[in-house]
Amino acid sequence: GRAVYGGIYEPHHPCADEDGFRKDVIDEVKKLRVPIVRYPGGNFVSGYRWEDGVGPISERPKRLELAWGVTEPNLFGTDEFMKWCKKADTACMMAVNLGLRGVDDARNLVEYCNHPSGSYYSDMRRKNGAESPYGIKLWCLGNEMDGGWQLGHKEAKEYAFLADQASKAMKLTDDSIETVICGSSNDHMKTFGKWEDTCLDIAYDSVDYISLHQYYDNKLGDTQSFLAKSMAMDEFIKTVICICDSVKGRKHSKHTVNLSFDEWNVWFHSNDEVEKWSTAPHQLEDVYTFEDALLVGLMLITLLKHADRVKVACLAQLVNVIAPIMTENGGGIFEQTIFYPFMHASNYGRGTVLLSNTVCGKHDTREFTDVPDVDSVAVLSDDGNALTVFAVNRDPSESYDMCINLLDLEDFSGKEHIEMCGFDKNAVNGFDKINVFPVSGEIPTVDGKTAHAVLKPFSWNVIRFYKNK
């Protein structure tokens, strides 16, 4: 779709810089403080020839992009993306094609990106204008290879042997990199669990992460069940951790494989057909509601709770395609409802996640039982001077007086309470009007080691405390 063309890259836009990058998009990405961006995908990568996207633009071939049925003009490729990352203050998580290609192509891309000079592919990069190596540290070994929809789909053993060999060759090219082996495309796959166990049994000691992907929807219009789906995400994560550690024990390994939840979001509003072989069509451009923002907040809380093992997590995607940022070709830009929870978690959720226990009422839904009315997590900044509590009140009608026991945290005062609440659950933002947005709520009070804040019905909350000087 328009993730790149018309999204981050639009040379003829009034806001475009000398490289064709939309500066208004870069400004929005900087607000999110996005630490890493996965490139080039996604289903796209399984048919992608990275060589098509480097060198003189006038000499690059147009290709039929089979994953989404469009034409890829290759006006934008690896070198352009790395320039964009530098301007957007982010890093690249590069994916290699293990669908229709293999080990040699993967190690060649590592050489192109990371080797200083004096070899065929590193000198090709230098000839293309990048004297210094890119130093990309995180590499995905293909994408969703368990899925029958994937170009070059493979059975678990076949894929695992390929990923193992690719990871080894890539690390021989640059021993500073880390690799991510494909886990299940979602927790409903028939091979879920067995896929992870098989892949890790073969490739455990040569990889550093295993991926998880998951999207949630509310096609049935059941808001209570929809907002409980973060509990399914929690179980998904716990199950994969158990499999990783089971393989570790079976192998008597000292190596720990962590989790990369490198695709997650709400996705169900749009799945329209596009004109076959068109270029950069409007595709999968979900417009998110307020209730979508609440679930994204709950998913962020869930990911933070597992920060000891979930070391990477990528909201899919960034611009226009199921994204927090929407643009108009040649025109404006707006922040979707889901923009704000991600921005808050990224800006205030850095540091150490504290072990906390939320005690509250529970309810049942059509799909889930014992759903906590409130879900929350607390993060202490690296310097120990700021504490942030993220909380979602799932109750549609009742407020909660949240009592926060600060225990060992001495001499803290309430700083601010950012909240999103009071909006119609189906409210959306658009180019003409921002209907859903965060506001400043009542500053939390602190009495000794007990803090109080009010969580309004159906609300996303960011409650912040600072240590008194």
Side-chain angles (χ1 to χ4, degrees), residues 213-232:
H213 291 180
Q214 187 69 61
Y215 299 95
Y216 293 112
D217 67 70
N218 190 16
K219 292 178 181 177
L220 298 179
D222 180 356
T223 297
Q224 289 295 327
S225 290
F226 180 59
L227 295 183
K229 288 186 175 182
S230 57
M231 295 177 65

Side-chain angles (χ1 to χ4, degrees), residues 79-190:
D79 297 320
E80 287 80 17
F81 183 69
M82 296 311 299
K83 282 185 182 179
W84 181 85
C85 283
K86 187 174 182 178
K87 292 185 177 184
D89 294 337
T90 190
C92 172
M93 180 183 189
M94 183 68 77
V96 299
N97 180 352
L98 293 187
L100 299 186
R101 306 191 83 186
V103 176
D104 203 33
D105 309 297
R107 63 111 174 184
N108 290 344
L109 181 55
V110 175
E111 180 184 320
Y112 181 89
C113 291
N114 286 8
H115 194 68
S117 63
S119 67
Y120 180 82
Y121 287 104
S122 62
D123 287 345
M124 179 190 292
R125 183 199 68 242
R126 289 164 61 88
K127 181 180 178 181
N128 291 337
E131 289 284 330
S132 300
Y134 295 132
I136 299 169
K137 298 301 182 186
L138 195 56
W139 294 76
C140 297
L141 302 170
N143 174 75
E144 295 185 355
M145 298 310 300
D146 64 323
W149 59 86
Q150 202 70 211
L151 290 171
H153 160 68
K154 295 169 175 62
E155 294 298 320
K157 283 187 177 180
E158 180 188 10
Y159 165 69
F161 279 118
L162 175 61
D164 181 54
Q165 294 303 310
S167 184
K168 288 174 179 175
M170 292 162 71
K171 288 182 175 181
L172 285 171
T173 307
D174 181 354
D175 62 8
S176 71
I177 68 170
E178 293 184 311
T179 56
V180 184
I181 195 169
C182 291
S184 295
S185 301
N186 58 69
D187 61 0
H188 300 304
M189 299 295 291
K190 291 181 179 180

Side-chain angles (χ1 to χ4, degrees), residues 267-329:
W267 174 14
F268 72 103
H269 294 289
S270 64
N271 201 1
D272 299 333
E273 293 292 325
V274 301
E275 181 184 351
K276 195 75 168 178
W277 310 128
S278 58
T279 299
H282 291 257
Q283 196 169 28
L284 307 185
E285 298 194 2
D286 277 24
V287 176
Y288 289 110
T289 66
F290 174 53
E291 72 174 13
D292 295 333
L294 293 180
L295 181 58
V296 165
L298 287 160
M299 293 169 79
L300 286 160
I301 288 170
T302 302
L303 291 167
L304 284 169
K305 285 181 177 180
H306 290 286
D308 58 327
R309 295 301 294 273
V310 179
K311 299 297 184 181
V312 184
C314 301
L315 178 72
Q317 295 181 26
L318 187 60
V319 186
N320 288 330
V321 182
I322 53 170
I325 301 167
M326 294 292 290
T327 70
E328 186 176 32
N329 289 354

